Amino acid sequence: GGARGGLKGGSKVLIEAHRHGGVYIARGKEDALCTKNLTPGISVYGEKRISVEVPPPPGADAGAPPTKVEYRVWNPFRSKLAAAILGGVDHIHIKPGSRVLYLGAASGTTVSHVSDLIGPDGVVYAVEFSHRSGRDLVEMAKRRTNVVPIIEDARHPLRYRMLVGAVDVIFADVAQPDQARIFALNAHHFLKTGGGFIISIKANCVDSTVEPAIVFAKEVKKLQEEKFKPQEQITLEPYERDHAVVVGQYRVQKKRKRDDE
């Protein structure tokens, strides 16, 4: 069952849980992906908020008023992770309570939704090199206690090793030619064995002289050489051009096979 609420103009909206834990779909005139707002009443980047009345739980006093829950619309044109979810990715590995290392946090648009998704028991270590974007990130983190902003170069994970513990998932959107190396370096330091990974690859940032499909294949091969096990790859059309997201696991324990040869 879902809870009803209003988007603009008082139209009725039904909130349903998405198959990825911590992600929701607002069903209305137009369906929208959303997350439950960790800081009700506050938008991070001007996104729409949907307030929903939830009936009191069974056993509550007869006159108990319904409680209000607020959701934030997650725009796939502004977030690679939202685009991947709407593109039908099977696993995002990020769930309520997860510890996430996020490389390329920018001003924190997607980070804020990851913060909603993981909830108060999770933590997202958000690494961003640009001081300008970093200012917005730091400001957002003041209100969201599960966000740890790190204004540092992801090429040098040793500089922030005192701030980051072992993580369940690593997400990267760094758009650098050597992004596979940066990703691997951070995973070696912080990602637990069997942990999940998501990397967004922008083809022309890696090599603008060849077809995007070739770039993606080469990047996947680099990841495999670094003990990543890519399990799915999707492109982000129609939200982003020439982007792919690769999802998988790290240092997966191999099941032993008997050699027949």
Side-chain angles (χ1 to χ4, degrees):
R4 292 201 169 274
L7 203 51
K8 59 176 185 205
S11 56
K12 285 294 176 192
V13 173
L14 190 68
I15 299 285
E16 293 176 3
H18 190 279
R19 62 190 174 84
H20 296 307
V23 180
Y24 299 86
I25 301 164
R27 301 257 183 227
K29 203 168 166 188
E30 292 176 352
D31 291 353
L33 202 65
C34 51
T35 53
K36 194 183 288 183
N37 195 354
L38 196 68
T39 56
I42 299 167
S43 286
V44 174
Y45 56 97
E47 71 282 8
K48 280 196 191 107
R49 302 196 309 274
I50 305 169
S51 197
V52 171
E53 286 198 344
V54 180
D61 294 344
T67 52
K68 282 207 160 174
V69 179
E70 191 177 81
Y71 296 86
R72 297 165 54 234
V73 172
W74 194 358
N75 183 346
F77 290 96
R78 307 245 343 229
S79 169
K80 316 278 190 334
L81 186 54
I85 291 169
L86 286 173
V89 73
D90 282 337
H91 298 282
I92 57 170
H93 299 293
I94 302 168
K95 54 183 187 282
S98 289
R99 304 173 70 83
V100 181
L101 175 60
Y102 192 116
L103 307 177
S107 51
T109 300
T110 300
V111 171
S112 71
H113 288 285
V114 171
S115 157
D116 283 348
L117 197 164
I118 61 178
D121 297 331
V123 62
V124 51
Y125 301 101
V127 181
E128 174 52 48
F129 193 32
S130 153
H131 283 262
R132 182 178 290 178
S133 297
R135 276 200 295 272
D136 295 338
L137 185 64
V138 168
E139 206 50 46
M140 184 257 289
K142 286 177 183 171
R143 297 195 185 96
R144 291 174 170 267
T145 51
N146 63 358
V147 177
V148 179
I150 299 169
I151 312 308
E152 195 50 88
D153 187 346
R155 285 188 173 86
H156 303 290
L158 288 175
R159 292 182 186 166
Y160 45 88
R161 72 186 185 283
M162 304 303 282
L163 297 170
V164 180
V167 297
D168 306 306
V169 190
I170 181 170
F171 177 98
D173 180 15
V174 290
Q176 296 292 332
D178 59 340
Q179 61 181 12
R181 191 187 66 83
I182 296 170
F183 196 51
L185 208 52
N186 280 273
H188 295 335
H189 281 289
F190 307 116
L191 187 55
K192 69 179 193 185
T193 298
F197 75 84
I198 309 169
I199 184 168
S200 171
I201 303 166
K202 184 178 178 183
N204 66 5
C205 273
V206 179
D207 186 348
S208 57
T209 64
V210 295
E211 285 295 305
I214 294 168
V215 174
F216 300 147
K218 280 183 176 173
E219 290 301 291
V220 164
K221 193 165 186 302
K222 285 181 203 167
L223 292 171
Q224 287 167 329
E225 285 164 4
E226 294 283 2
K227 301 191 172 66
F228 292 100
K229 187 182 178 189
Q231 289 160 335
E232 46 184 325
Q233 174 185 330
I234 63 164
T235 58
L236 298 186
E237 270 81 11
Y239 310 107
E240 298 276 359
R241 283 191 58 201
D242 299 336
H243 274 73
V245 159
V246 178
V247 181
Q249 285 177 287
Y250 181 59
R251 292 183 187 269
V252 181
Q253 302 294 326
K254 283 197 174 77
K255 291 183 179 70
R256 299 200 164 203
K257 285 184 182 170
R258 203 179 73 240
D259 256 349
D260 293 332
E261 290 170 353

